[in-house]
């Protein structure tokens, strides 16, 4: 290469670097709509997700894909009736680039519909609604958490392996409760068990007395329940106060005891649950996350914090591949689909329907921990029934 050609290629490289920097500057801040519950029975879950998300962004110097982040927050109150208005405010009024939300399955389904229609990228950091990565699946919709089917199916298998023959279920009556019971029933009945009765209370009611009396009279081998947040605290305490924890084991997806043990205390001791996160994993990745989270928020992290953190990791992966240009939907999606996400829960991948393929742990409550017992099912993928992508 002559001196002149070398100088020319150096200049070209410099020009390209300037254009790239200019590109980022022109893109401006990336607007992230955080649509989460900040009030009601799921308020603590919303806060943990926000904390986890922001922790990861801060670890990246406050930028993802070279762009600073601007947050626009909406309290969705876990109210499906307000969901379409709330999500449309973020999409149409605030012009957000990406939406991160939410906790409640009914609200998440309205968000997925709006995201699908508008093409806005949506990352669901909790809500397990099977439909979001089933019939509603789309190139621009991702989940960093779980489908309702995943931990429930695993618990059904565990209960059957423990020799339980009959189970009653008691859950909130909405998509999360219904789908959780369906997943449990599938795993349990495949293993030879039988779900003999399905009881429900409307969301977010916490009046369980009459139903606990019915369970005590029926004496099934086990009870399976989906509740979370404040409702889970009340239910586990009522179950123990009725003396049922001494005679009929209470199983559930880990939401029944995650982020709730301080309040549940003695009532939760010894309970077995299944989830994609656990205490005591003792991996360098999880230990570093837990130390950083505790330092930043003076709180211990739970599964919701992990899901928020991983939503930011997924967004970072997509933005790195598109140099911050989230409108490049195919490149954005393809980068996430190929990634191995280095999560505190353990490495996971994103399946074709954009739901995590992940290990489901069996956990046992010991003191204030959901201590890992073993991996109940390794690399469990949601069946993604109805997803055509
Ligand atoms: C749900 O509605 O999908 C949900 C809410 C809280 C915890 C887990 C799932």
């Amino acid at each position: 290469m002559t001196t002149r050609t070398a100088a020319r290629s150096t200049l070209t490289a410099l020009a390209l670097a300037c254009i790239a920097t200019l590109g980022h500057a022109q893109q401006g801040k990336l607007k992230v709509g955080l649509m989460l519950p900040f009030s009601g029975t799921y308020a603590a879950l919303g806060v943990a997700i926000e904390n986890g998300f922001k922790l990861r962004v801060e670890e990246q110097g406050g930028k993802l894909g070279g762009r600073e982040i601007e947050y626009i927050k909406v309290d969705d109150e876990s109210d499906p009736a307000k969901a379409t208005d709330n999500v449309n405010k973020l999409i149409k009024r605030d012009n957000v680039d990406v939406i991160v939300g939410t906790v409640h399955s009914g609200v998440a389904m309205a968000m997925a519909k709006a995201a699908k229609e508008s093409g806005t990228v949506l990352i669901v950091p909790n809500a397990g609604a099977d439909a979001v990565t089933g019939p509603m699946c789309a190139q621009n919709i991702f989940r960093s958490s779980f489908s309702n089917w995943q931990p429930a199916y695993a618990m059904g298998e565990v209960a059957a392996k423990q020799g339980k023959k009959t189970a009653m279920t008691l859950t909130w009556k909405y998509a999360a409760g219904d789908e959780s019971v369906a997943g449990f029933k599938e795993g349990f009945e495949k293993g030879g068990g039988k779900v003999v009765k399905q009881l429900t209370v409307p969301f977010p009611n916490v009046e369980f007395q009459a139903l606990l009396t019915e369970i005590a009279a029926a004496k099934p081998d086990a009870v399976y329940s989906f509740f979370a947040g404040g409702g889970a605290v009340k239910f586990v305490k009522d179950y123990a106060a009725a003396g049922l924890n001494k005679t009929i084991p209470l199983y559930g997806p880990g939401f029944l005891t995650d982020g709730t043990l301080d309040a549940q205390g003695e009532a939760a001791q010894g309970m077995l649950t299944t989830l994609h996160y656990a205490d005591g994993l003792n991996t360098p990745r999880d230990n570093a996350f837990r130390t950083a989270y505790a330092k930043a928020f003076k709180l211990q992290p739970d599964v919701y914090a992990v899901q928020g953190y991983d939503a930011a990791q997924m967004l970072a992966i997509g933005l790195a591949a598109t140099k911050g240009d989230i409108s490049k939907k195919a490149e954005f999606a393809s980068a996430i689909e190929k990634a191995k996400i280095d999560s505190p829960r353990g490495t996971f991948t994103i399946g074709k329907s954009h739901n995590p393929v992940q290990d489901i742990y069996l956990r046992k409550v010991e003191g204030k921990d959901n201590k890992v017992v073993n991996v109940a099912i390794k690399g469990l993928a949601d069946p993604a029934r109805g997803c055509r992508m």
Side-chain angles (χ1 to χ4, degrees), residues 133 137-138 337 350-355 357 384 387 389:
T133 52
C137 73
E337 284 161 10
I350 292 292
K352 273 208 194 93
S353 68
H354 292 175
N355 192 65
V357 178
C387 169
M389 222 189 330

Side-chain angles (χ1 to χ4, degrees), residues 93-110:
R93 184 193 66 190
D94 302 321
N95 269 311
V96 297
D97 296 295
V98 49
I99 303 174
V100 176
T102 188
V103 168
H104 184 288
S105 276
V107 177
M109 282 192 279

Side-chain angles (χ1 to χ4, degrees), residues 42 45 103-106 126-129 146 148 172 174-177 226-229 255 304:
Y42 288 160
L45 287 59
V103 168
H104 184 288
S105 276
N126 183 70
F146 61 94
N148 286 324
W172 270 320
Y174 79 100
F226 164 85
F227 293 102
F255 316 112
Y304 309 106

Side-chain angles (χ1 to χ4, degrees), residues 60-107:
Q60 304 296 298
K63 289 185 182 177
L64 299 181
R67 295 176 70 179
E68 275 177 42
I69 306 295
E70 177 183 343
Y71 295 102
I72 296 151
K73 280 172 59 169
V74 171
D75 176 6
D76 67 37
E77 304 169 53
S78 296
D79 186 350
K82 297 182 183 163
T84 302
D85 277 354
N86 278 331
V87 72
N88 279 330
K89 269 184 222 151
L90 287 174
I91 295 172
K92 295 181 182 155
R93 184 193 66 190
D94 302 321
N95 269 311
V96 297
D97 296 295
V98 49
I99 303 174
V100 176
T102 188
V103 168
H104 184 288
S105 276
V107 177

Side-chain angles (χ1 to χ4, degrees), residues 102-384:
T102 188
V103 168
H104 184 288
S105 276
V107 177
M109 282 192 279
M111 295 173 74
K113 185 168 180 290
K116 203 167 175 163
E117 284 166 5
S118 64
T120 312
V121 171
L122 169 66
I123 305 179
V124 179
N126 183 70
D130 291 344
V132 166
T133 52
M136 305 179 89
C137 73
Q139 189 189 43
N140 59 317
I141 300 178
F142 304 86
R143 187 147 50 195
S144 65
S145 51
F146 61 94
S147 72
N148 286 324
W149 180 88
Q150 282 177 307
Y153 178 82
M155 193 71 240
E157 268 200 13
V158 169
K161 278 190 195 140
Q162 289 193 338
K164 306 297 177 208
K165 295 290 175 218
T166 59
M168 281 171 84
T169 63
L170 172 49
T171 67
W172 270 320
K173 179 77 197 144
Y174 79 100
D178 294 345
E179 292 171 359
S180 193
V181 166
F184 173 78
K185 187 171 154 71
E186 192 179 326
F188 188 52
E189 296 197 343
K190 217 184 237 178
K194 178 92 193 126
V195 171
V196 291
K197 188 139 197 197
Q198 301 179 14
L199 304 171
T200 58
V201 290
F203 177 85
N205 278 16
V206 288
E207 289 314 318
F208 305 117
Q209 221 43 60
L211 299 174
L212 293 176
T213 306
E214 190 173 338
I215 289 169
K219 298 192 180 59
D221 291 343
V223 169
Y224 175 84
S225 286
F226 164 85
F227 293 102
V233 170
K234 171 83 165 41
F235 178 68
V236 168
K237 287 177 102 172
D238 284 5
Y239 196 85
L244 286 173
N245 60 338
K246 301 277 181 288
T247 51
I248 308 172
L250 173 59
Y251 297 137
F255 316 112
L256 209 46
T257 56
D258 228 85
T260 52
L261 290 174
D262 278 347
Q264 287 165 335
E266 199 44 43
Q269 296 308 306
M271 276 180 63
L272 293 176
T273 61
T274 42
L275 203 63
H276 47 288
Y277 188 55
D279 296 315
L281 293 178
N282 200 21
T283 59
R285 182 70 181 100
D286 190 41
N287 292 344
F289 164 75
R290 291 170 85 99
T291 305
Y293 190 94
K295 188 167 172 229
F297 306 108
K298 314 282 173 271
L299 280 173
Q300 286 308 310
D302 54 19
V303 68
Y304 309 106
V306 172
Q307 295 168 170
Y309 186 86
D310 290 339
Q313 297 217 76
M314 288 165 61
L315 180 57
I317 289 165
L319 288 171
T322 56
K323 303 201 170 34
D325 184 355
I326 202 163
S327 69
K328 292 185 175 157
K329 300 273 161 53
E331 276 177 48
F332 182 90
S334 150
I336 296 177
E337 284 161 10
K338 285 190 203 123
K340 281 194 166 55
I341 296 151
D342 185 19
S343 169
R345 74 185 85 172
T347 305
F348 71 91
T349 56
I350 292 292
K352 273 208 194 93
S353 68
H354 292 175
N355 192 65
V357 178
Q358 56 192 340
D359 295 349
I360 305 292
Y361 302 100
L362 175 64
R363 309 114 47 89
K364 182 175 186 183
V365 176
E366 281 177 27
K368 295 202 174 165
D369 283 341
N370 285 289
K371 261 266 146 66
V372 61
V373 175
N374 59 33
V375 175
I377 305 186
K378 205 159 175 45
L380 184 63
D382 180 79

